[in-house]
Amino acid sequence: MNKASAVAPQDTADKPVTGPFTGNEAIARGVWEAGVKVAAAYPGTPSTEIMENVAKYPAEDLHAQWSTNEKTALDTAIGGSFAGVRSFAAMKHVGMNVASDALMSFSYIGVNAGLVVLVCDDPGIHSSQNEQDTRVFAGFAQVPVIEPSDGQEALDFTKYAFDLSEKFETPVIVRATTRLSHTRSEVKVGARVEPDDKGFDENPSKNVMVPMNARRQHPVVLKRTDDIAVELAEGPLTQVEIRGGKLGGKVGVITMAMSYVYVKEVMGDVSVLKLAGSYPLSESHIRKFTDQFERIIVVEELEPVVENALKIMGIAVEGKSLFPRIGEFSPEIVREGFVKAGLLEEKKHKGAFDLAPMARPPVLCSGCPHTSCYMALRALDARVAGDIGCYTLAVAQPLEAIDTCVSMGSSIANAVGMAKAGTETKPIIATIGDSTFLHSGIPPLIDAVYNNANITVFLLDNHITAMTGGQEHPGTGITLRGEKTAKVDYTQLIKALGVEWVETVDSYDMASMYQSLREAVEFKGVSVVISDRPCVLDPVKIKGQAFTVDQEKCVACQSCMNLGCPALTWSEGWYEGRHKVEIDPQSCMGCSICAQICPTDSIAL
Amino acid sequence: MAEKKNGPTNVLIVGVGGQGVIMVSKVLAMLCQNHGYEVKQSEVHGMAKRGGGVFSHVRFGSSVWSPTIPVGEADVLVALEWAEALRWINYMNPQTGTFIADTQKIVPPFACRVRDRGADAMYSEETPAEIMENVRAGYAMDATSIAEDLGNLKAANTVLLGALSNSLEFSVDAWLEVIRSFVPPKSIDINMEAFAKGREWAQAGPKRVDENAKGRGVSGRDLHKQVETKLEITEEWCKGCDICVKMCPERCLRLNDQLISELHKPDACTGCRMCEWLCPDFAIKITNTPIMEPAE
């Protein structure tokens, strides 16, 4: 018996809401409608809002949680599937790297109840460290990937993914991109349908991946993949649009996801095979389409996944010779590709103005507790291994206080390697935020202690996952649903790992923070300094009295401008050829750091 | 709308993180959806929250494919900040587009990074009057000051929506109803007034520039462009306390092998005298000699 659930909070009476939903809101709705009972994620732009929105549906319907990282999120979802309920994990593309260990094995095991992994790619690198293509991962893990192209599909495909998952006992990846996730459009919604709980599947020969079982499962996975290819090609997600006109019989376009809407925007009357997803593909079904045309053009963002698959099938296709492999697509870029193919007239896009736009890179906020930390590191002239978070912005002018940044949690082990290389004369400091430390900073800290590395770890605890918009984590003591829970005590934790030198400082107190850092770098071995100051934006926006600059006293030394604080700017006044400084009272939140570093005491309340 | 084409209507809304670009576009998207149009509103956030540029594409019509507006096809560009208006101006359709911009300037710290003598902030130089000469229709208005006069700076966005309302087909009542549902209850009255002011301001003609636009920004002329800076260190007096090294805003000093202060990046030294003033032993002397008479 299927049980229809109570209406979602957004629903009113019998009329379903129809948005406008962002792609992420639509995915969350799909998760809820599919009857999911266990959902987990680690925040990461552009995927963050999915789990935030899943958590808006009633706690009686499903358990939704922040996990410490993407692997624990996926493992939690896998546990849910083992236990017989539909389960879901969401992450950004680079999160899949972290979760992939579990995915690779679980692909062999296969699901009990449906399991869907939502991965958001970031073509164009709006807010990431690379633009890897999750479709490659799908092929690698032999897990099907389906790719919605708008908000409605985001909901529908997500729901369908659970059915597919259960029918073929496979995890399924739904791939979104930044553009899909952050576009609002009208979405028709349905009711929640909860499948019956399946209960735990007591089947160790399937669920325990020892070599003997894995060897037996590998051919099962290959067979499964062939069957899924046919299912997807014949299923409702694949669309074939045959058009007559002057291109009829001549040109066929194969596309998917956001690329599809750009094709429709610029090439309204071309025949299109819109794929459900890029992996797996059924050769016989693809040929049914391609055999009708003289020329086949594949339009896909990022890697030539489908293009290469078709070439392996021996089908002549054009793809990356026309469309870039780098960056995000746009109507112009797709149009240019068709112009290159000789199918569209060139169109002049250049506007009437020839202006050089002013650079406006993102900056640390006014009053950001990280700013003074990096100012202090700058004064220490340290070698700084950075990590992922808002504080990576300290690499830019004027702070210029970070030397490296690789991936989540890399900083500490990077610092260990630098120290062990024995070439560095500067003090070596790893800087890492609270959420990133919990994500993947603890094992490398254990490494550092175990191998007695002479490094300092500067834990920048701003009590929130800030970069992604302010999510709770185990260090805040509050769950995704806003309930109180256990709170990580960093000092206790770090001491338990064997670190002998730990001190907590307030980054709004420049002098004592600087003193602590100096002592920490003088300590031989692993020392940890914890900066304990909340983010000024989340969970609450902090605004205090604004400081002002005494224009008579300011000597335009630019010491405060080195903070890069957005509340500080040049005034109309000059001193010996340099602009004096003033403070925007709207933006200044009163942290007092600039007043503390001003050598002439020109800044006061 | 001047002349309507077959495709969707395109409105591009741009500004700086924290100004409310997303809120403005949500208002417009809701309004369009209430009128039965298919709407796509696309934004990218993340890094943008932290003082970077923010943009939002709103497209509506009987059917909409791409969520982003093709370059050169925006019917209206609404900019909450002047330099952002200039960044996106070529998205506007040069033949039919309307330009609506707040003249307020938000000068980022990054624009104040050149410390050469006489250096000004590297903010966009084009003035509202210059831009207005080259657009088909446009309004460069000091929406922030209009809102400030009404008693709430944040209503500047609603002033711009008022100006935008002249370019789209929706009734004033429909606009106000949606705006009312988005703003905090206590600021409804101010926002209603702000909308009326903006609408009225832009009704004066197809082009209008606020001549008194203040904006927050940097200008001015400097009389100390050509100065030679000399930094001398009396090594016998230096005890290597490190104060000058730590406090130099340009990081151009260091301690040498004998722990004596030395100038290792002479090009970066701006002659600000910080080291001279802070040295407890009077070991540093700065001389700034004009090498040319100040102009004028």
Side-chain angles (χ1 to χ4, degrees), chain B residues 6-36:
Chain B
N6 297 324
T9 300
N10 302 319
V11 182
L12 181 62
I13 299 157
V14 303
V16 177
Q19 279 195 299
V21 168
I22 305 303
M23 202 280 273
V24 168
S25 44
K26 276 178 162 177
V27 166
L28 179 58
M30 180 62 85
L31 182 67
C32 301
Q33 194 179 310
N34 288 351
H35 284 74

Side-chain angles (χ1 to χ4, degrees), chain A residues 1-5 30-38 61 83-87 112-115 159 162-163 166 191-199:
Chain A
M1 187 196 72
N2 285 340
K3 176 177 79 178
S5 153
V31 167
W32 177 78
E33 286 184 13
V36 166
K37 287 194 173 167
V38 173
D61 287 353
V85 299
R86 287 189 165 187
S87 301
N112 175 26
L115 181 134
K159 272 169 81 175
F162 284 96
D163 296 335
E166 283 172 359
R192 174 173 164 97
V193 179
E194 273 183 22
D196 292 340
D197 295 347
K198 292 186 162 177

